[in-house]
């Protein structure tokens, strides 16, 4: 496990790489490559049966968490389709703000132009595929560090250096490849699907419906909104498949009394409930310290998982989000971003104490996840079982994966 700490400053990024073809179809290359291994991946997918009730169901096989061809297949089917959380509106609060990042093998950049319009593009120069920018910041244009090709914040190619003598070239055909972008509450979402790219306008209500389904109002009711103050980011490179981290999150608090004794003392575990929606599961529990004014957990904890890899945790005056980014069959990057109610933002002692408590929980979870990955790779393990009363959200996650992968 490698821990990457970020200071209490403005949000930074998640990095990426993606190759595109001349048709400007961001999924075309991945789709053509997938033909050679999709048959084998489909066979692995079918080793899990979502129609079997949880009481009798077995978990997905270990190959879902270890097989390289399955990993490549799920990148195409899971991450390059549908709306994916990639950042926060605070990162592009002002004109000329931008942030770049990574989603699977896709390098992207999100920016706000001088007119306040938000746009997103593949962060790849159309000349010789150099990445254009890294990190986040402010810029009036994107200039390739390799050969100086320059693009406007609208993606148009403004300047192609030293190309005298070139034939059959139109500057209008070599702008940055766009990605559909939308916002919901404080979150920035991207959609790599070529069908959505053809739509001129993206309706916010439709995005909310596709991303959150019928659960959307519950987020606002539980304090997930734009009024919170950003505090800091922490990043963890974990030696496990990204789904191992998600599974750990989705076990209905099953592991909490065994692995997180400090956290368990602040929660009423008997009150733990799980609600299932279309692509969302929400776990909640009453806090164990309602009378402590400055307690980190407060009177209620709200844990929301948004398929496939985004988690929102709202508790006491805090909100933190967790994004599990695949880095390979046996490795992932998990990005934690912390937000706080404005009335607490100047209480440095409370912030430091809360972050230290959170860090302890993350270290405990990382040890669990890396141990599970090693166990999954053991010849002694093939499949497992569910605890029906507590692992409903995990089973729901596996069923959603199956639907994505088989169709």
């Amino acid at each position: 496990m490698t821990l990457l700490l970020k200071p209490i400053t403005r949000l930074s990024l998640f990095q990426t790489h993606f190759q595109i073809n001349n048709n400007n179809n961001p999924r075309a290359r991945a789709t053509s490559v997938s033909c050679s291994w999709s048959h084998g991946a489909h066979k692995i997918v079918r080793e899990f049966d979502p129609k079997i009730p949880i009481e009798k169901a077995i978990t997905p096989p270990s190959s879902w968490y270890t097989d390289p061809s399955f990993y490549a297949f799920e990148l195409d089917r899971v991450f390059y389709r549908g709306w994916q959380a990639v950042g926060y509106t605070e990162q592009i609060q002002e004109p000329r703000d931008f942030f770049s990042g990574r989603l699977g093998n896709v390098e992207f950049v999100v920016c706000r132009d001088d007119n306040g319009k938000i746009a997103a593009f593949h962060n790849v120069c159309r000349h010789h595929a150099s990445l254009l920018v890294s990190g986040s910041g402010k810029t009036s244009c994107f200039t390739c560090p390799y050969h100086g090709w320059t693009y406007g914040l609208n993606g148009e190619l403004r300047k192609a250096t030293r190309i005298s003598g070139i034939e059959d070239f139109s500057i209008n055909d070599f702008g940055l490849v766009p990605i559909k972008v939308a916002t919901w509450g404080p979150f920035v979402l991207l959609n790599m699907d070529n069908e959505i790219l053809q739509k001129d306008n993206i309706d916010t209500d439709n995005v909310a419906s596709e991303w959150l389904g019928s659960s959307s109002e519950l987020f606002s009711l539980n304090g997930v909104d734009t009024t919170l103050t950003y505090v800091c980011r922490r990043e963890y490179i974990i030696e496990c498949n990204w789904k191992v981290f998600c599974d750990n999150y989705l076990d209905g608090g099953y592991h909490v009394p065994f692995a997180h004794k400090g956290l368990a003392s602040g929660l009423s575990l008997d009150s733990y409930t799980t609600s299932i929606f279309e692509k969302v599961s929400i776990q909640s529990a009453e806090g164990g310290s309602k009378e402590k004014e400055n307690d980190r957990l407060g009177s209620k904890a709200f844990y929301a998982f948004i398929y496939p890899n985004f988690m929102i945790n709202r508790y006491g005056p805090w909100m933190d989000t967790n994004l599990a980014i695949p880095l390979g069959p046996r490795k992932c990057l998990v990005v934690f971003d912390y937000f706080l109610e404005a009335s607490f933002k100047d209480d440095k002692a409370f912030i430091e104490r809360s972050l230290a408590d959170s860090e302890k929980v993350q270290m405990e979870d990382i040890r669990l996840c890396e141990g599970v990955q090693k166990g999954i790779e053991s010849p002694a393990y093939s499949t497992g079982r569910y605890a029906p009363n507590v692992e409903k959200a995990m089973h729901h996650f596996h069923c959603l994966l199956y639907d994505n992968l088989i169709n």
Side-chain angles (χ1 to χ4, degrees), residues 298-316:
S299 61
K300 185 178 181 180
F302 173 90
Y303 304 118
F305 177 83
I306 304 171
Y307 179 82
N309 65 331
F310 192 54
M311 291 140 268
I312 303 173
N313 311 302
R314 189 69 167 92
Y315 47 92

Side-chain angles (χ1 to χ4, degrees), residues 24-37:
N24 290 352
N25 181 345
R27 290 187 59 244
R29 177 176 170 82
T31 301
S32 63
V33 171
S34 71
C35 293
S36 62
W37 38 252

Side-chain angles (χ1 to χ4, degrees), residues 67-291:
D67 187 270
S69 65
F70 185 88
Y71 170 75
F73 187 61
E74 72 180 359
L75 283 183
D76 178 51
R77 293 298 183 94
V78 175
F79 290 97
Y80 303 154
R81 302 181 182 187
W83 292 103
Q84 311 283 341
V86 296
Y88 304 92
T89 54
E90 186 173 332
Q91 293 174 275
I92 46 170
Q93 195 168 14
E94 299 175 355
R96 301 188 177 186
D97 283 349
F98 77 90
F99 70 91
S100 59
R102 176 172 185 153
L103 180 60
N105 291 327
V106 177
E107 292 279 356
F108 64 83
V109 59
V110 180
C111 62
R112 188 183 293 271
D113 67 17
D114 288 324
N115 297 318
K117 183 180 178 181
I118 299 173
F121 306 96
H122 288 273
N123 182 21
V124 179
C125 180
R126 298 295 306 281
H127 178 217
H128 285 321
S130 172
L131 297 188
L132 294 169
V133 294
S134 63
S136 60
K138 223 172 179 62
T139 187
S140 60
C141 60
F142 299 122
T143 300
C144 179
Y146 198 5
H147 299 107
W149 283 35
T150 302
Y151 304 84
L153 299 184
N154 60 0
E156 292 180 357
L157 179 60
R158 289 183 180 175
K159 181 173 68 174
T161 60
R162 302 180 68 175
I163 59 169
S164 58
I166 193 172
E167 298 181 4
D168 299 323
F169 175 83
S170 171
I171 199 168
N172 295 328
D173 295 335
F174 278 80
L176 297 179
V177 178
I179 302 173
K180 277 300 182 185
V181 61
T183 62
W184 186 90
F187 307 118
V188 176
L189 314 174
L190 297 183
N191 192 324
M192 255 70 69
D193 198 310
N194 197 49
E195 291 183 10
I196 196 77
L197 191 61
Q198 309 306 320
K199 297 181 180 179
D200 292 330
N201 297 308
I202 300 296
D203 184 86
T204 302
D205 290 337
N206 287 340
V207 171
S209 177
E210 289 179 33
W211 194 47
L212 300 175
S214 57
S215 71
S216 59
E217 288 189 8
L218 291 175
F219 288 84
S220 299
L221 291 173
N222 283 277
V224 179
D225 55 43
T226 58
T227 64
L228 302 172
T229 299
Y230 176 74
V231 177
C232 68
R233 166 171 292 179
R234 292 181 175 181
E235 299 180 353
Y236 306 87
I237 295 177
I238 309 177
E239 300 296 326
C240 72
N241 185 278
W242 68 277
K243 297 186 293 298
V244 169
F245 185 87
C246 294
D247 287 349
N248 178 69
Y249 185 88
L250 294 169
D251 76 352
Y254 196 173
H255 72 285
V256 171
F258 306 102
H260 305 309
K261 297 190 185 302
L263 176 62
S265 67
L267 293 172
S268 175
L269 296 178
D270 291 340
S271 70
Y272 226 98
T273 62
T274 300
S275 301
I276 303 297
F277 299 89
E278 293 89 342
K279 293 184 179 180
V280 172
S281 60
I282 295 175
Q283 303 170 84
S284 60
E286 298 298 323
S289 52
K290 297 180 182 179
E291 298 178 359

Side-chain angles (χ1 to χ4, degrees), residues 33-61:
V33 171
S34 71
C35 293
S36 62
W37 38 252
S38 61
H39 178 73
H42 265 108
K43 183 178 179 181
I44 295 173
V45 173
R46 291 191 178 94
E47 292 180 30
F48 173 74
D49 188 347
K51 296 179 181 179
I52 298 175
I54 188 173
E55 294 81 4
K56 297 182 178 181
I58 61 171
T59 63

